[in-house]
Amino acid sequence: MGRLRYGYADTNDGQVHYRRVDGPGDRPLVLLHQTASSGAMFELVMAGLAPERPSIAFDTPGFGNSFVPAGAVSLDYLAGCLVEALDALGVDRFDLCGHHTGGCIALEIAARVPGRVNSLGLIGPVVASPAERDAFRATFTTPFTLAADGSHLKVAWDYLASIGADSSPQLHQRELIDHLRGSETMPKAFAAVWDQDTSARLAAVTVPVLLMIANDDALYPIFHNATAARPDATVSIVDGMDFQPDRDPAGVVAGLSQFLAMAAPTAG
């Protein structure tokens, strides 16, 4: 129990890479990462939750070690691929938690297979007005582009520092590698995020909702939109800028653990 394992799940369009940690029970927590990270961002949280439950962290198609989709990318498409991956792994009912873009994909999964999602957690929820989406679109759609002279490496390094990846050289380098791997899909995923009517998706969720954020998260200025859309949600404030699972794993584990215990289905 608690050992991190890696594998691939087959989907119609390619293989989806995942990390898995076993734990008590048969209802895993499924974790979805931000753009352009990978499931590696959840490894400390998965270890912390292992005494209580199993967990699975996917690399979204286009990121990490998963296949790279051809052409345009929509959140619904990514959600469909991950549902196929869950089917391939034999996972029926699950708890779901997404970080930034992963939260947007989680909302699409909850809409696609509502009967299989037991609870929904959003870390840094992307709930924005049309004007706010346009403002973020101008900043975060293409944080960097590849350059023949390699200057994009410093641009990407500085971009990652601005959102909190510079708390350790190891985290900074891991994220740089993941962002370079995902550079082709990154602008497509960001564009899909700003096109989503997240407020409507969030309002339609019928299972318990957790809204988690750090005060210095890039999306904290619009966090009030999420809490206004779901005043019934559990709210958890943690540390760590945009890398809460890496920089404050104890806080994230505590918030998730308390929420999941409350959201557990009753016997009978």
Side-chain angles (χ1 to χ4, degrees):
M1 185 182 299
R3 177 178 297 177
L4 181 67
R5 296 183 290 128
Y6 304 87
Y8 286 90
D10 288 325
T11 74
N12 288 331
D13 289 348
Q15 289 191 312
V16 171
H17 184 253
Y18 66 86
R19 291 161 174 81
R20 189 167 195 163
V21 173
D22 292 332
D26 57 3
R27 194 183 75 249
L29 172 64
V30 175
L31 296 154
L32 308 178
H33 63 82
Q34 65 182 344
T35 301
S37 299
S38 71
M41 72 178 298
F42 291 114
E43 288 184 5
L44 296 177
V45 170
M46 297 169 80
L49 289 171
E52 301 176 14
R53 65 181 56 252
S55 58
I56 302 169
F58 287 114
D59 293 350
T60 302
F63 303 102
N65 289 317
S66 289
F67 79 94
V68 178
V73 170
S74 71
L75 296 178
D76 181 64
Y77 170 78
L78 296 174
C81 290
L82 295 177
V83 170
E84 287 182 34
L86 287 166
D87 291 343
L89 293 176
V91 175
D92 181 20
R93 194 160 175 84
F94 51 91
D95 294 287
L96 184 60
C97 181
H99 186 292
H100 286 202
T101 301
C104 297
I105 299 170
L107 286 167
E108 296 296 327
I109 292 175
R112 179 181 282 260
V113 290
R116 295 171 63 180
V117 177
N118 182 70
S119 68
L120 176 68
L122 302 176
I123 305 176
V126 189
V127 183
S129 68
E132 289 165 338
R133 287 202 299 269
D134 288 343
F136 277 105
R137 190 192 308 271
T139 304
F140 284 102
T141 298
T142 309
F144 67 91
T145 55
L146 301 185
D149 63 358
S151 57
H152 63 285
L153 299 174
K154 183 63 164 63
V155 174
W157 187 261
D158 291 345
Y159 162 71
L160 288 164
S162 74
I163 59 174
D166 60 346
S167 61
S168 74
Q170 293 79 12
L171 173 60
H172 210 160
Q173 177 168 271
R174 187 199 77 198
E175 286 298 316
L176 177 67
I177 292 169
D178 275 347
H179 277 64
L180 294 174
R181 276 177 163 173
S183 61
E184 179 182 336
T185 308
M186 178 168 55
K188 300 175 184 179
F190 273 137
V193 164
W194 309 126
D195 287 340
Q196 184 186 46
D197 187 351
T198 316
S199 297
R201 281 286 190 237
L202 181 56
V205 172
T206 59
V207 296
V209 173
L210 168 69
L211 301 175
M212 179 180 286
I213 201 163
N215 289 327
D216 48 3
D217 189 303
L219 295 176
Y220 184 76
I222 61 171
F223 187 59
H224 61 91
N225 294 327
T227 55
R230 292 303 298 249
D232 61 317
T234 299
V235 174
S236 179
I237 306 298
V238 295
D239 294 323
M241 295 187 73
D242 291 20
F243 293 93
Q244 302 93 330
D246 280 294
R247 295 183 52 172
D248 186 17
V252 174
V253 167
L256 282 171
S257 179
Q258 292 168 14
F259 169 70
L260 292 170
M262 180 187 67
T266 57

